[in-house]
Amino acid sequence: MSWTEPYGPLIDTRVRLLTWNVWGEYGPHAERTRQIEKVVRELSPDVVTLQEWAGQSLGYEHSAAGSGALPCAVLSRWPITRREERHLAGGAMPGSVLFCELAGPRGPLQVFSVIIGSFRLDESEVRQAQVRALTAFVGEVAGRRHPAVVCGDFNAPPDSDEIRMLTGRSAPGTPGVVFYDSWEVAGDGGPGHTWSNANPWARPGLYPDRRFDYVLSAWPRAGGAGHPVRCEVVGDGPQPASDHYAVLAELRY
C-alpha cells in the first residue's frame, strides 16, 4: 500500500444522495408535498432516502418503501436488486431501517434509510440500543467491497453517545461498523442544523437547534469510493416543506 495513494488512484465521479424526514402527513400536507417535489426536482439527486413518507409522487423509476409507524423509503435512478428492512425496538416509538442495494453504473451501491424513533432528551439510552440494532443489521447485510451509506434522522446531535458510536468516537455498537459523517468531512464548517427554530414547522416544539439528520458513509473502498466530497443543508428556504431540513451529499463513486 502506498502512503501517497492508500486507496489507489482516487475516483473523480460522484453520486448525489439526498436524505429528508418529510414529516408524514402533518400540517398542510398537499402544499408541503408540492414544495418537496419542487426541491427534489431542482436538486436532481441520484438517490433519495426519505423518512415518514414513501415519496410515490417524486417520479423515480425505482423505489422501495418500508412498513411500520415510521416508514422509510429509498428512491433511485438505478434498479434495486436487494431489499430488506428491520424494526428498531425500544422506547415508546420504535425506529426502522430499510436497506436497498442499487445496481449503479459503477458497481453496487448499498443504501440504508433509517429513522431512530425516540426524540426525547432523556432517551439517549433508547437511541443507543436502536443504533446497536442498526449497526448489527448493517454488519449482517452490507459487503465491504462496495460503498455503504446510512442516511436518515437519528434524533441525536453529533456529540451524543449514540452518534459517537457511529463515528468512531466511542466503542462501536458492532465491531468494525463505523462511518464518516459527510457534514463533518465536507460541509461548510457551520453547525448544519436540520432541526431549527428558524423553521416555523419546528418552532412549536420548543426544542434546541440541533443537527439530527445525517449522510454517513462506511470507510472508503478502493479508489476512495464512498468518501464524502461535498455536503450541504437544503430545503431550508423561506417556506420550508418539513419540520426537518434535508441533507444533500456527494460521495466518490
Side-chain angles (χ1 to χ4, degrees):
M1 183 179 71
S2 167
W3 69 268
T4 59
E5 290 187 331
Y7 302 99
L10 292 179
I11 296 167
D12 289 328
T13 49
R14 303 178 182 185
V15 59
R16 289 165 55 86
L17 299 105
L18 176 77
T19 190
W20 204 350
N21 182 328
V22 291
W23 197 32
E25 297 186 357
Y26 294 100
H29 182 247
E31 176 186 341
R32 293 196 309 102
T33 297
R34 288 191 291 271
Q35 291 175 269
I36 292 165
E37 292 169 348
K38 181 175 183 292
V39 170
V40 174
R41 282 196 306 270
E42 290 176 351
L43 295 172
S44 191
D46 301 303
V47 180
V48 180
T49 71
L50 299 173
Q51 297 82 45
E52 298 193 37
W53 188 47
Q56 303 94 326
S57 64
L58 292 179
Y60 279 76
E61 183 176 357
H62 307 284
S63 65
S67 59
L70 295 173
C72 295
V74 174
L75 291 72
S76 169
R77 295 189 184 281
W78 309 306
I80 297 170
T81 56
R82 292 173 60 200
R83 176 196 179 282
E84 292 189 45
E85 68 175 300
R86 294 284 170 88
H87 298 295
L88 306 174
M93 189 176 293
S96 62
V97 54
L98 173 67
F99 164 67
C100 291
E101 184 169 279
L102 313 180
R106 294 175 292 279
L109 186 64
Q110 303 168 117
V111 177
F112 297 79
S113 179
V114 60
I115 183 167
I116 299 298
S118 173
F119 63 88
R120 288 172 53 100
L121 287 174
D122 60 343
E123 291 192 338
S124 174
E125 186 175 359
V126 172
R127 288 187 290 274
Q128 290 177 58
Q130 293 186 10
V131 164
R132 290 188 185 95
L134 166 66
T135 57
F137 180 51
V138 173
E140 175 186 332
V141 300
R144 293 180 178 267
R145 289 188 58 193
H146 305 293
V149 190
V150 175
C151 308
D153 172 15
F154 285 79
N155 280 310
D159 60 351
S160 66
D161 289 340
E162 44 271 43
I163 300 300
R164 287 165 54 84
M165 292 165 59
L166 289 163
T167 57
R169 288 174 167 84
S170 66
T174 299
V177 181
V178 292
F179 303 91
Y180 287 8
D181 174 356
S182 291
W183 181 262
E184 180 184 9
V185 174
D188 66 7
H193 293 147
T194 57
W195 182 272
S196 170
N197 285 284
N199 184 337
W201 302 122
R203 191 181 304 129
L206 302 180
Y207 208 87
D209 292 350
R210 294 284 169 91
R211 181 155 70 91
F212 280 164
D213 303 83
Y214 300 82
V215 176
L216 305 172
S217 58
W219 196 276
R221 308 321 195 198
H227 185 255
V229 293
R230 185 168 178 266
C231 188
E232 61 181 310
V233 174
V234 296
D236 57 345
Q239 293 184 312
S242 172
D243 58 345
H244 286 245
Y245 299 147
V247 178
L248 177 70
E250 294 184 9
L251 312 180
R252 297 183 190 277
Y253 169 63

